[in-house]
Amino acid sequence: MLKNKIRYIFILLALTVIGCAKRGYITGGLKDTIAPVLKASFPKNLSVNFKGKEINLTFDEYVKLKNLNKQLIVSPPMKYNPEVSPMTPSKIINIKIKDTLQENTTYSFNFGQSIEDNNEGNPYNQFKYIFSTGSYIDSLKVGGTIKDALNKKEDSFVSVMLYEVNDKFTDSVVYKSVPRYITNTLDSLKTFKIENVKAGKYLLVAMKDANSNNKFNPKDDKIGFRKKLVTLPNDSLFELKLFKEVLAFKTVKPFQTTGNKLILGYEGDLKNMKVVLKKGNEVIPTIVTQFPTKDSVQVWYKPIKADSLSLAVANGNYNKSYTFKKTEQKKDSLSFSPKTSLGLSKLDQFTISSSRPLVKFDQSKIRVTDKDSVNVKFTTSYDINSQELKFDIPKEPLQTYQFHLLPGALTDYIDQKNDTLSYKVTTRNTTDYGNLRVNLTNVKQFPVIVQLTNEKGDVIASEFLDKVNFVDFMFLEPSKYTLRVIYDANGNKEWDSGNFLERRQPEEVIYFPKEIDVRSNWDVDQSFDLSR
């Protein structure tokens, strides 16, 4: 009996110990979500009459610096960037000023989200250290939003700048000088705010600064600007639209790629470009076409014997001449590449690309038939710039079309002709497509361009309207589309960018706020109020 009691007590004690052990298990506690706290700074934040070269920031825990080169914005910009250390975890951040500070100027060090606690990476969001070399802190500000002038998605890390209008101010200031004040949208903001600005008159500019040098390089950078100067104090908010300028036209020295072709690189708009190829004083006939996917053109000429050739390029006020040695190389061969898909939309055309420019077309040697071998009426057009032959036919659903080109139907510029070409294309049913009608309201002026783009921003369909306020997009591939309207101010049926020196803003683009879901065998009727 006593042994049983002792055994019972022993088991009870064992269970109690196990239970206590479970209740005492360490889980690590709640996750730290609190940002670091600045305990002290020397000199103190918002100091005036600042004369020092070194700043120390002390935090309540170990912190680390992340993406400092992108996140830290110093305004006004310094010629020599400050040295911020250490890059290893520490409770103290040290800032050494390497530049000569301007008199009576308020400086702001905006760390963005670069200061994080060492354990969980909680950022000290938008921490600013501010001081003045004068007797007071400037407190005026300018704010607003950033948009892309053409694309729906905005760029990240856009610099927004104020240039002081004084006796040194010129129109070329954005190319040669750094701004008086600067901020950055960083990686997540569409809005901007420049603070601690003194009263005065300023030029307001936004820039996607590829080289991070605070100067405008039209070749690499996007720019947006307010046409009128900003006078502070002023509480207005501003919208800046970023655009890529069309570069001033220029060319680079051409080079020979085959026995009958040169490649000429260029920048800018080649719409009015003219080239003259010469052997001595003899003018050599040429054909100029676009080189695919590159800012270059192909200059085609018939094979000739010559030691050297010269090429003169003219475009408006631009004139340039090149002389180069001609080498013996193989000539291009004539070949054809078909685009074998064919939709039912009026914009869809069967297309054949030629490897060399075509100059003659014998319609008697071209025939189009349907699946019953019945002849189909057709017309052709040739875009010499893209070297594409397009067929326009009355397309029917669930039909098969055969394109027959007999030898000699096509002749290129050196009198070579095609061999027999035959292509088969099948169309789908109307129920495989969707249709979209867009009704525009509150159009402030005509003409407009109505466009549908895909998720990459590629234009899938486009219509030019000079009077009517609706457009039908028929036989669209089922997908989600983005809808936009361009106010085509000059009526040239394309979007025109802006120009900073000309103080010309890009043509206005308005996006429908939601994606439009076009489904197969479905008609969508969409109203688009342009006043919103």
Side-chain angles (χ1 to χ4, degrees), residues 97-98 108 139 433 499:
I97 297 173
K98 301 290 186 179
S108 170
S139 58
Y433 301 94
N499 185 280

Side-chain angles (χ1 to χ4, degrees), residues 249-272:
F249 183 82
K250 72 175 184 178
T251 56
V252 296
K253 187 172 183 178
F255 60 93
Q256 184 182 355
T257 57
T258 66
N260 55 294
K261 183 175 67 177
L262 303 172
I263 299 295
L264 176 67
Y266 70 92
E267 291 180 356
D269 187 355
L270 54 70
K271 193 175 297 182
N272 299 313

Side-chain angles (χ1 to χ4, degrees), residues 31 47 53 80 113 127 140 169 174 210 217 249-250 285 298 332 335 375 380 454 461 482 497 517:
K31 182 178 179 180
S47 291
K53 287 290 185 179
Y80 304 105
Q113 297 191 25
F127 167 66
L140 299 178
F169 180 84
V174 298
N217 178 3
F249 183 82
K250 72 175 184 178
Q298 304 167 107
D332 294 273
S335 61
N375 286 337
T380 60
N454 61 15
T482 297
S497 187
D517 189 6

Side-chain angles (χ1 to χ4, degrees), residues 12 46 101 127 134 146 180 198 301 305 317 337 391 401:
L12 185 61
L46 301 176
L101 299 177
F127 167 66
I146 299 292
R180 174 69 177 180
K198 70 177 182 179
Y301 54 92
K305 290 186 177 181
N317 295 325
S337 175
F391 288 79
Y401 297 99

Side-chain angles (χ1 to χ4, degrees), residues 71-117:
Q71 295 285 335
L72 176 61
I73 306 298
V74 180
S75 180
M78 295 181 175
K79 183 177 181 180
Y80 304 105
N81 290 329
E83 180 184 306
V84 183
S85 63
M87 300 309 292
T88 55
S90 173
K91 286 189 175 182
I92 298 176
I93 292 178
N94 177 262
I95 304 170
K96 291 182 179 178
I97 297 173
K98 301 290 186 179
D99 203 2
T100 300
L101 299 177
Q102 303 175 46
E103 294 182 357
N104 299 315
T105 300
T106 299
Y107 284 86
S108 170
F109 288 67
N110 187 343
F111 283 82
Q113 297 191 25
S114 62
I115 300 175
E116 298 181 343
D117 70 42

